[in-house]
Structures are given as C-alpha cells and as structure tokens.
Amino acid sequence: MKGASLAARAAVPVALLVAWQAAVGAGLLSKDWFSSPAGVVQAFRELNDQGILWGSVAVSLGRAFLGLFLGGLAGLATGIAVGLLRGAETALDATIQMVRTLPHLALVPLFLIWFGIGEESKVALVALGSFFPLYLNTFKAIRGIDPKLIELAKVQKLSRFQLIREIILPGAMPGILVGLRYSLGTAWLSLIVAEQLNAQSGIGFLTMQARMFAQTSVIMACLCLYALVGILADVLVRSLEKSALKWHPSART
Amino acid sequence: MASQRANLKLAPAPLAHGGADARPLAVDVRDLRKAFSGRTVLKDVNLAIHQGEFVALVGRSGCGKSTLLRILSGLEADVTGSVTSDPSFSYVFQDARLVPWRRVWENITLGDKGSKADRRTRAKAALEEVGLSARLDDFPVTLSGGEAQRVAFARAILNEPKVLLLDEPFGALDALTRMQMQALLMALHRRHGFTALFVTHDVEEAILLADRILVMAEGRIASAHDVSLPRPRQRTNPKLLPLRRGLLSELGVPDE
C-alpha cells in the first residue's frame, strides 16, 4: 500500500523530468535558456572534476552556520530572558517587535556600508535573519507554559532555578525547536541573498560566474545544491525534535 | 462536647474546635476573608483541624471550598484574617498534574534535592505504597487516569508531610477507580497519620472517609458533623443514611 502510494506520488515529478529532458532534446526549449536534467548532472560532474564543488558547499555552509550560531544563540538567549523576566520584556520586546517589521533583507545596502563586501556582511545578514524566529518562538513558548504546572511548582516548593530547569525550559523545548527550524530557513535564505551580491567563494560565487558565462546548467546545479542543503537541515532538526520530545503524546502513535 | 462526636445526626459540632480533642492543631484559620476583584468569596471562615484528623469539606461548586484549600497551600494571597497551617504539607489536585516530560520517578521526587540514585530509590518506595512500582520509568502520557492519580499520591506522601490538602482528587475518575482510590487514601492515612483536608462535592465520599464533615455555603462554614462510625465503612451501612439525607438537604438536594 505504502509502496504503491509512493510510486503514485512520484509519477508526476518523474514525468516532468522526462518531459523536460525530451523538450530540450527535441529543441522545444533552448539550451541557452534552460538546461536539461542531463545537463545539470553533467555540470555537477564537471564542478566535481574541477575540485570546486565540495569546497564551495563547505564555504557556504560555514557562513550559514556561523551566522545561525551567532544570531540564533542571541535570539534564544534574548527570548529566554524576555520570557522569564517582566523587566526584560518591558525594556526589550517593543523595540524588537518594531525592528522585526522591517524585512531584514532590506538592510543589505546598510550592511554593505557597515561591514564591507567581505565575509562580515554575509554572516551579519544571516545572523540577523536567524535572530527573530528563535527569539519569537522561545518567548512565546515560555509564556505558553501551562499555568497549572507553575502552580504545581509552587506547592512542590521548587526553587526558581528548579522551576526553570524542570518545568519552563523542557516545556518550551517544542516551541524552541520550531523556532530553530524557521531560523534555519531564514538563515539559508539570507545566505543566498548575501552571496548573490558579492562573493569570492561559495555556492553564490559559482552562480555568479556561471551567469557571466551564461551557463544555465551550472546555475541550475547550484539551485539544486541550495535545495538539498535546505532539506537536509530540515531533516536534521526534525530528528532532533523526535529525540527531544519522547515524552510528547504525538511521539507515540 | 464529647457526646456530640458520637452523634451521626445533624446536631452541629463546634466549628472552631472539633470537640474536646486534646491533639494540637495542624490547621487554624480565624476570621478569614477573601475577595476576588470586589466579589467576596470567603466570609469570616473559622476552622481548626487537629493533627491526624481527616476533615471533609463539602459544598456546591462556587461555595469557596477550593479557594480555602488554595489559601492554605499558599496559592492564593491577599487575604484578611489569620491562617496558621503546618508548613509541611502536600497538595493533591483534581487532575494528577504530572509533568509530561518527566518520568514517573522524576515526577514523584519533583523538587527534591539529592542524588539521582537516592531520589529514584525513594520514588520506588513511595510508588510501591500506591501499588504501581512497575511504572517507575514510564512517561505520564502512558498512564491511565487512575494510575496518574496514584503517582500524584506517591508524590504527595514522599516527604511524610504533616498535612495533606486534597482538592477533589477523585472528581475526574470513573466510579470503580474512585472506590479503589478511596480505599488507598484510607490505607495511606492509617499508615502515615497525616492530617487531611479533603474537598469534595460528593456527600457519600465525605461520609465514607472523614472524621468530620464541614458544609460550606456562600463563603462560610455553615455546619459541622462528626462521623464516628469505625472504618472501614460500608457505603450501604444504614447508620449512614440519616447523615447522608441531612447533608443532602442542607446542600439543597432533598433525597427522596
């Protein structure tokens, strides 16, 4: 049953790939505009042979993780502080919400002036993009803790530290992980935008070079790379969720 | 006054002190008032419970009985009057209120300091008392309602509290489970000798369990009734019927 449904669901994408390949082969689609699936595979092979494929992926991943680490950690820490302390909420939340209404990608010109066209501006843009989802979801998750459990903590005479360790942080974990997933998404998107502007290395650099030489096959290969890394990151966080949420009712179906 | 303790009828026992009991007080409430945003919920409540006594608090919903319990546990503040209660207490909620992401043994020792091995051993002993030792390492989501409430009782007796505050602990259980849990509570009370203040709206349950039944109405303790029948009590015991009838009519539910 499951195999049959998988085949049924794969039918359309496979048909599209075949039709695409056939259309390019028959000359219906110009190779200059639209490379074929075989062309994309060929581009991968050539990039690999030139020894620049994995190096570029590694450079892009490095930028994304550094930015995600800095911005995500800041978002998590701020979210926890604002979630736990009314004073921090009063002082910070309104400001953060105001800044959030500004699409962070609109800050690219400023970032180029502030940080230059090197690595710093890219990492800064990724960090800024990663900050908000983790901040918002952590804050919301902490405030969303069942007040009945806070009451329980009170009659069980838990210390403030025990309350945070036993109730608040584990209870907020599902929300925090959702935030991490969103942060991964915006981090990756920010990276792609940053790399399009100016890059001397990385997947974005490959794309820019390919554009200059009108190599649509290489551009499409790079798109595939972006997509693959995005999917892998999502799978990673989902498996993290699964192992962290063993207690959750949805984990035992 | 001692004669009234043997009286199963509606003759009111003294409110402030349960007869000529020589035991020291575990709970002493005087002239307690509590209002929520202008609405008075408790009006001059006086209550004295001796150590080891099992007191049931019955009343219709909204009469203030749960509020009184929450004040004794420190969950509600901003009251007038004086409340003296033994600081060594445990609270049992209507829902078992287990922490979903902590295993059964971690729930039982919630808030306890001490090494992991030590906490686990103590949790095991408490869990054995409630007849659930096989579930030590399970997550709460795998427990039935009755099992979860057993875990809550294990948590409540863990540190040998002097006072147990119980807020309709069996209210959400089915009839059969409830009977088992009532027997369990009686066994725990016999073994540990804690003072119990048991809030319920079930008159029959109050008669089965309590030494003294207090009826609350409109924010006051309206009457008190001693139940001196030896335990275990049979719910079909005809001697209990007059008390049952009297309590029900006082609560506005005439028993045909």
Side-chain angles (χ1 to χ4, degrees):
Chain A
M1 193 62 204
K2 213 163 191 180
S5 75
L6 182 68
R9 274 182 290 173
V12 170
V14 169
L16 277 175
L17 275 177
V18 171
W20 174 14
Q21 181 69 46
V24 176
L28 292 173
L29 284 172
S30 159
K31 262 189 188 162
D32 297 335
W33 291 96
F34 226 83
S35 180
S36 66
V40 174
V41 172
Q42 177 64 24
F44 267 119
R45 199 170 293 149
E46 280 168 17
L47 288 173
N48 192 31
D49 290 345
Q50 292 163 19
I52 50 177
L53 177 62
W54 299 114
S56 302
V57 171
V59 166
S60 290
L61 278 179
R63 287 172 186 147
F65 276 113
L66 184 59
L68 177 70
F69 179 75
L70 295 175
L73 203 65
L76 180 68
T78 318
I80 289 175
V82 172
L84 292 179
L85 309 166
R86 296 278 165 189
E89 184 189 359
T90 315
L92 294 176
D93 189 52
T95 312
I96 295 174
Q97 298 292 348
M98 276 193 292
V99 175
R100 187 174 73 91
T101 57
L102 196 68
H104 75 284
L105 294 178
L107 293 177
V108 165
L110 269 184
F111 273 35
L112 288 177
I113 294 173
W114 292 345
F115 301 108
I117 54 171
E119 291 303 300
E120 291 86 350
S121 61
K122 297 178 185 60
V123 172
L125 195 67
V126 173
L128 186 68
S130 318
F131 176 85
F132 294 104
L134 257 167
Y135 167 76
L136 290 172
N137 283 284
T138 303
F139 176 35
K140 204 175 74 184
I142 288 179
R143 285 299 160 85
I145 300 275
D146 187 353
K148 290 181 163 184
L149 290 177
I150 309 287
E151 225 174 61
L152 171 72
K154 230 183 237 176
V155 297
Q156 290 288 122
K157 304 173 187 83
L158 263 63
S159 67
R160 176 131 182 102
F161 173 72
Q162 285 176 320
L163 171 69
I164 293 170
R165 192 191 58 195
E166 301 291 322
I167 310 281
I168 294 181
L169 285 186
M173 197 46 79
I176 292 174
L177 287 173
V178 168
L180 177 61
R181 227 162 74 201
Y182 283 127
S183 276
L184 266 173
T186 52
W188 204 227
L189 179 71
S190 310
L191 177 81
I192 292 169
V193 170
E195 286 192 338
Q196 305 284 318
L197 296 172
N198 184 296
Q200 304 303 319
S201 57
I203 302 174
F205 173 66
L206 291 183
T207 324
M208 286 195 356
Q209 265 195 328
R211 194 190 66 203
M212 278 194 279
F213 300 112
Q215 294 170 304
T216 52
S217 61
V218 175
I219 294 178
M220 286 180 167
C222 290
L223 293 184
C224 291
L225 281 179
Y226 279 136
L228 272 176
V229 174
I231 292 170
L232 279 180
D234 203 57
V235 167
L236 203 74
V237 179
R238 275 174 197 274
S239 70
L240 195 66
E241 273 177 0
K242 210 165 239 172
S243 71
L245 305 181
K246 272 182 297 192
W247 54 270
H248 207 269
S250 69
R252 43 193 76 248
T253 40
Chain B
M1 291 296 199
S3 63
Q4 285 189 325
R5 292 189 66 77
N7 197 336
L8 283 173
K9 297 212 179 65
L10 264 179
L15 295 185
H17 295 277
D21 203 321
R23 292 174 291 183
L25 292 181
V27 173
D28 191 2
V29 173
R30 286 164 202 257
D31 304 323
L32 177 65
R33 277 172 164 270
K34 170 74 185 168
F36 288 108
S37 52
R39 198 173 58 88
T40 308
V41 182
L42 295 179
K43 303 164 191 165
D44 296 320
V45 171
N46 286 286
L47 170 68
I49 303 176
H50 294 277
Q51 282 178 12
E53 212 182 350
F54 195 119
V55 173
L57 202 54
V58 299
R60 306 181 72 109
S61 53
C63 70
K65 56 192 193 302
S66 288
T67 305
L68 177 55
L69 210 61
R70 290 170 60 85
I71 291 171
L72 286 172
S73 69
L75 284 175
E76 301 285 351
D78 293 330
V79 298
T80 60
S82 85
V83 177
T84 319
S85 180
D86 199 307
S88 152
F89 74 91
S90 288
Y91 198 98
V92 182
F93 297 90
Q94 179 170 9
D95 57 313
R97 210 160 291 195
L98 304 178
V99 182
W101 44 85
R102 289 285 179 253
R103 293 173 193 277
V104 163
W105 73 266
E106 294 168 312
N107 261 289
I108 293 173
T109 57
L110 184 70
D112 255 38
K113 298 180 175 77
S115 75
K116 200 173 156 177
D118 173 55
R119 287 170 58 205
R120 200 167 177 280
T121 313
R122 281 161 31 79
K124 189 161 193 232
L127 206 53
E128 263 159 21
E129 276 203 58
V130 299
L132 212 61
S133 46
R135 311 300 298 269
L136 198 62
D137 293 311
D138 291 345
F139 280 111
V141 66
T142 62
L143 304 174
S144 71
E147 288 169 337
Q149 201 57 294
R150 275 173 198 269
V151 174
F153 272 95
R155 179 175 65 196
I157 58 164
L158 183 78
N159 288 319
E160 295 282 344
K162 295 270 169 45
V163 178
L164 222 57
L165 303 170
L166 306 113
D167 189 5
E168 302 194 32
F170 310 140
L173 303 176
D174 65 82
L176 290 176
T177 310
R178 180 182 308 195
M179 285 163 70
Q180 289 177 322
M181 293 297 290
Q182 287 164 348
L184 173 69
L185 176 57
M186 281 293 99
L188 292 175
H189 182 243
R190 202 167 49 240
R191 197 172 316 136
H192 295 277
F194 46 74
T195 309
L197 183 54
F198 184 93
V199 166
T200 180
H201 54 244
D202 183 342
V203 163
E204 193 168 276
E205 183 169 78
I207 295 173
L208 277 178
L209 302 180
D211 300 317
R212 187 151 58 105
I213 299 173
L214 305 175
V215 179
M216 268 193 93
E218 289 167 7
R220 286 193 179 84
I221 293 177
S223 65
H225 313 271
D226 288 337
V227 189
S228 56
L229 212 69
R231 298 187 179 91
R233 299 172 187 153
Q234 305 297 318
R235 60 192 68 227
T236 49
N237 189 331
K239 285 188 190 159
L240 295 174
L241 287 178
L243 180 57
R244 182 187 137 92
R245 200 172 295 130
L247 286 169
L248 282 174
S249 80
E250 197 176 339
L251 292 167
V253 190
D255 192 21
E256 309 84 42

